[in-house]
Amino acid sequence: MLSGRRLDLLDPSPLDIEIEDIAHGLARVARWNGQTLGPHIFSVAQHSLLVEKIAVEMAPSIGRAERLFMLLHDAPEYVIGDMISPFKAVIGDAYKSVENRILGAILLRFSLPATPAPAMAKLAKQADRAAAFFEAVALAGFTRSEAERIFGRPAISPQALTDEIAPAPVEETQARFLARFQEIDRL
């Protein structure tokens, strides 16, 4: 990592994880394999910010730990990249196993349980699917009906999310991700 840390992907240690490395990596990983509109990629860091915002819209009473989990739900992708869901399904359990070990180490690093509570995992999945719906329609060329068929109809309106669904320069996204992490961490 740029921090100088060495992360063992098969046996990751929370001690080798730094939020700056996560922000740097996620801001440079493209969602939708880069097949989005605009002069910049829509990054996993932007997606993570969107998921956290959607989760708060869906469950306004969630606290620091839950918000942090939402922001970090895709954090393993800072080292293993983002794969589209159909390809993850083809690869199967091997990818998921590595992803879960890295996520567990990340969560422990930031004083969260290595395995989220079922209610938090469910909220993260709902917010993630809503984010995918909005991204698909706004950025990836899906019609609303296609997105609804694949991701379901989101339980929230996109009006409050307009600024979050705009591809942005890497440096700006990295700074926004770090700033949001620090805001949540101070709660």
Side-chain angles (χ1 to χ4, degrees):
M1 303 299 125
L2 288 177
S3 65
R5 301 282 187 190
R6 299 287 183 255
L7 184 65
D8 181 340
L9 296 181
L10 299 179
D11 187 21
S13 168
L15 300 174
D16 293 327
I17 295 167
E18 299 293 340
I19 193 62
E20 293 80 8
D21 291 332
I22 293 171
H24 181 87
L26 293 183
R28 287 159 175 77
V29 175
R31 289 270 296 161
W32 304 94
N33 284 341
Q35 298 299 309
T36 54
L37 301 171
H40 303 285
I41 64 166
F42 187 78
S43 71
V44 174
Q46 290 177 279
H47 167 76
S48 298
L49 289 162
L50 179 60
V51 167
E52 189 263 335
K53 188 168 187 170
I54 290 171
V56 171
E57 288 282 324
M58 294 171 80
S61 65
I62 63 173
R64 175 203 170 274
E66 293 85 0
R67 289 173 186 229
L68 200 52
F69 174 70
M70 297 303 157
L71 187 66
L72 297 172
H73 81 285
D74 277 342
E77 294 177 10
Y78 89 104
V79 290
I80 59 173
D82 185 25
M83 288 190 203
I84 58 173
S85 296
F87 191 59
K88 282 183 187 177
V90 170
I91 293 173
D93 292 338
Y95 178 86
K96 199 64 166 161
S97 174
V98 171
E99 183 180 46
N100 285 337
R101 277 186 286 215
I102 296 169
L103 180 59
I106 290 167
L107 296 175
L108 288 173
R109 167 65 177 88
F110 300 110
S111 302
L112 300 172
T115 304
M120 274 307 98
K122 182 178 178 184
L123 179 60
K125 189 60 146 173
Q126 290 171 332
D128 191 53
R129 289 181 68 79
F133 173 90
F134 294 128
E135 294 166 14
V137 172
L139 302 170
F142 286 58
T143 65
R144 285 189 66 82
S145 61
E146 287 173 324
E148 282 182 17
R149 188 177 77 255
I150 296 167
F151 305 109
R153 181 176 292 177
I156 65 167
S157 167
Q159 278 81 16
L161 308 171
T162 306
D163 292 341
E164 305 296 327
I165 309 175
V170 168
E171 296 81 8
E172 177 185 320
T173 300
Q174 183 174 338
R176 284 183 51 226
F177 184 91
L178 279 172
R180 185 64 187 142
F181 173 86
Q182 291 162 352
E183 288 171 17
I184 295 170
D185 202 39
R186 287 191 295 265
L187 292 177

